[in-house]
Amino acid sequence: MVMKQPILHTTQLTIGYSHGKTNTIVQSNVNLSIDSGKLVALIGKNGIGKSTFLKTITGILPAISGEVFLQNQ
């Protein structure tokens, strides 16, 4: 059996915004693994960080801490 590598995964990801030396944390310790070929939905109430998460994993916003891997890079 061949082990599939996740197409996207995060380790100990903390997302939010930096204002000078101050960080506004939206979510912390996000550990996620998404396999290739899977359909994924990101749902939730307004203002809980969905857009901030998407901007962080795509590199638009820098992560406050942690790592994002796309195809293991």
Side-chain angles (χ1 to χ4, degrees):
M1 181 176 201
V2 176
M3 293 287 293
K4 280 183 144 181
Q5 292 290 330
I7 193 155
L8 172 78
H9 74 277
T10 64
T11 55
Q12 299 296 310
L13 183 65
T14 298
I15 62 171
Y17 299 92
S18 295
H19 306 282
K21 295 181 180 180
T22 305
N23 290 328
T24 301
I25 295 174
V26 174
Q27 190 63 254
S28 60
N29 298 321
V30 178
N31 295 300
L32 171 73
S33 181
I34 300 174
D35 292 331
S36 177
K38 300 291 181 179
L39 179 63
V40 178
L42 182 61
I43 59 173
K45 293 181 181 180
N46 292 343
I48 63 166
K50 297 180 302 290
S51 295
T52 303
F53 176 71
L54 291 173
K55 289 176 185 177
T56 302
I57 64 171
T58 57
I60 294 170
L61 285 175
I64 292 175
S65 65
E67 298 177 296
V68 177
F69 296 95
L70 180 60
Q71 295 181 342
N72 253 3
Q73 296 184 2

